[in-house]
Amino acid sequence: MILSELTQEVNFVDYSRPSSKHRKIATSFRDTTLKDILMLACSLLKEMLAKPLNLQDQQQQNLAMHLLKLVLNCLNFDFIGSSADESADDLCTVQIPTNWRSIFLEPETLDLFFDLYHSLPSMLSQLALSCLVQFASTRRSLFSNPERAKYLGNLIKGVKRILENPQGLSDPGNYHEFCRFLARLKTNYQLGELIVVKDYPEVIRLIASFTITSLQHWEFAPNSVHYLLTLWQRMVASVPFVKSSEPHLLDMYAPEITKAYITSRLESVPMVIRDGLDDPLDDTATVFQQLEQLCTVSRCEYEKTCTLLVQLFDQNAQNYQKLLQSSSRNPLALSIQEG
């Protein structure tokens, strides 16, 4: 806990003192101490995981929480004095120092945090996922091309394992961090690098299924949808630049994402009107942002999108016409049809 507080305090920019002095202290701390702190925290987490975990033991839970927070503070450290704006979440790259390469090249490092996610209760597994978000955001130049491919392969293997065992994602905190994790993968890696990963076909199928389920359950963690749409938007936007002969499979899954978004919003209308739920379309800023993302996704197999829109429009127009011509008009049905 003391080390965690120390790391945070050194990283905190105090505007009451000269920025050059703060940068000098932070740089010295980074170069002399921070790597050792990270290695110590990871070592203690490995020791803890090697023993039988008693999830009812509050002392053990507190230890895991403080160690995970310590690792997260190390990975969130402002390594180069950029003072990145935390609101620009999808643009963040973690500028890991070169002398940390050995830690990141060990597959056991990533495995540790995926194992922690699967082993700990939701309050703590969320912290493990937050650490994995930072691992996925590690600057590309830290690795050579073969090393980067291997590192990405380990990340994708972990994604596959989470999606094959999705019980933990029913927790809103875990769900949100996992969506951030997926978005960071495409932010930091090119589509051409992703599609040559061994598990890519199965993982993209699982991600598509997860996205469709998330869009259909629009009332659950709505703030996380942005990250899923960001992932698909950037994947589809990258298609023209892919030189690999391996299939990207987006022509198969992108239309399904588009369909799930459009139909789920139409299907939300009866629930909003009948049950008095918050209307997801009332937040115009969020809707506008999502539609901007979706318009890129929908252009993949654009003919299918156009066919879907025409079909849904004709179907709803016919239903509305029937209600208007009915001798016994149902006000509730009319309100639902009018949206």
Side-chain angles (χ1 to χ4, degrees), residues 45-266:
L45 284 168
K46 284 178 186 175
E47 287 181 21
M48 185 189 72
L49 203 56
K51 302 172 184 176
L53 281 174
N54 180 6
L55 300 181
Q56 306 305 318
D57 185 345
Q58 192 61 44
Q59 191 173 1
Q60 197 170 49
Q61 283 196 31
N62 287 339
L63 175 62
M65 181 181 68
H66 290 307
L67 287 173
L68 285 167
K69 283 184 176 179
L70 177 57
V71 171
L72 191 56
N73 286 340
C74 289
L75 297 174
N76 278 328
F77 197 82
D78 187 5
F79 296 102
I80 59 173
S82 60
S83 298
D85 179 5
E86 291 183 5
S87 65
D89 184 81
D90 57 342
L91 301 175
C92 185
T93 299
V94 182
Q95 301 292 336
I96 297 295
T98 303
N99 66 338
W100 290 26
R101 281 180 78 252
S102 58
I103 303 173
F104 285 72
L105 288 176
E106 293 176 6
E108 294 80 11
T109 303
L110 285 178
D111 290 345
L112 169 64
F113 289 90
F114 282 115
D115 289 343
L116 286 165
Y117 164 76
H118 289 286
S119 304
L120 296 172
S122 57
M123 182 184 72
L124 300 175
S125 57
Q126 180 181 335
L127 285 171
L129 276 175
S130 297
C131 292
L132 285 166
V133 170
Q134 296 303 95
F135 278 112
S137 310
T138 302
R139 64 181 174 94
R140 294 170 54 83
S141 54
L142 185 68
F143 309 110
S144 65
N145 287 342
E147 290 168 348
R148 191 184 310 118
K150 187 177 179 182
Y151 188 76
L152 175 59
N154 289 329
L155 287 169
I156 294 297
K157 185 175 71 174
V159 170
K160 181 184 175 187
R161 185 180 166 197
I162 289 175
L163 288 173
E164 286 177 337
N165 303 275
Q167 300 89 342
L169 297 177
S170 60
D171 175 78
N174 281 342
Y175 172 82
H176 183 75
E177 289 303 310
F178 184 65
C179 291
R180 289 182 64 224
F181 177 54
L182 292 177
R184 289 287 183 95
L185 279 177
K186 182 56 194 79
T187 301
N188 216 24
Y189 293 93
Q190 298 167 6
L191 180 58
E193 293 172 314
L194 289 165
I195 63 178
V196 296
V197 173
K198 177 186 173 184
D199 291 324
Y200 174 79
E202 178 63 12
V203 168
I204 197 65
R205 182 189 69 80
L206 289 168
I207 293 174
S209 177
F210 172 71
T211 305
I212 290 167
T213 302
S214 298
L215 292 172
Q216 289 170 341
H217 295 83
W218 51 269
E219 71 279 12
F220 179 79
N223 294 332
S224 307
V225 169
H226 161 76
Y227 296 107
L228 293 175
L229 291 178
T230 295
L231 168 70
W232 287 99
Q233 177 192 26
R234 289 180 172 167
M235 295 266 278
V236 171
S238 301
V239 168
F241 308 103
V242 174
K243 297 177 181 178
S244 172
S245 59
E246 297 291 329
H248 52 69
L249 304 177
L250 296 179
D251 50 350
M252 185 188 304
Y253 297 117
E256 294 300 314
I257 304 304
T258 303
K259 181 180 179 180
Y261 182 89
I262 295 170
T263 55
S264 66
R265 270 48 191 175
L266 288 173

Side-chain angles (χ1 to χ4, degrees), residues 2 24 34 39 65 87 93 118 122 133 138 143 145 149 166 172 269 272 277 296 311 321 324 334:
I2 294 173
K24 186 176 180 181
L34 195 57
M39 291 176 68
M65 181 181 68
S87 65
T93 299
H118 289 286
S122 57
V133 170
T138 302
F143 309 110
N145 287 342
V269 175
V272 169
L277 298 180
T296 302
Q311 178 188 340
Q321 193 68 33
L324 289 175
L334 270 174

Side-chain angles (χ1 to χ4, degrees), residues 21 42 98 107 116 137 179 213 275 289 302 332:
K21 184 176 181 181
C42 289
T98 303
L116 286 165
S137 310
C179 291
T213 302
D275 303 331
Q289 182 187 52
Y302 201 33
L332 180 62

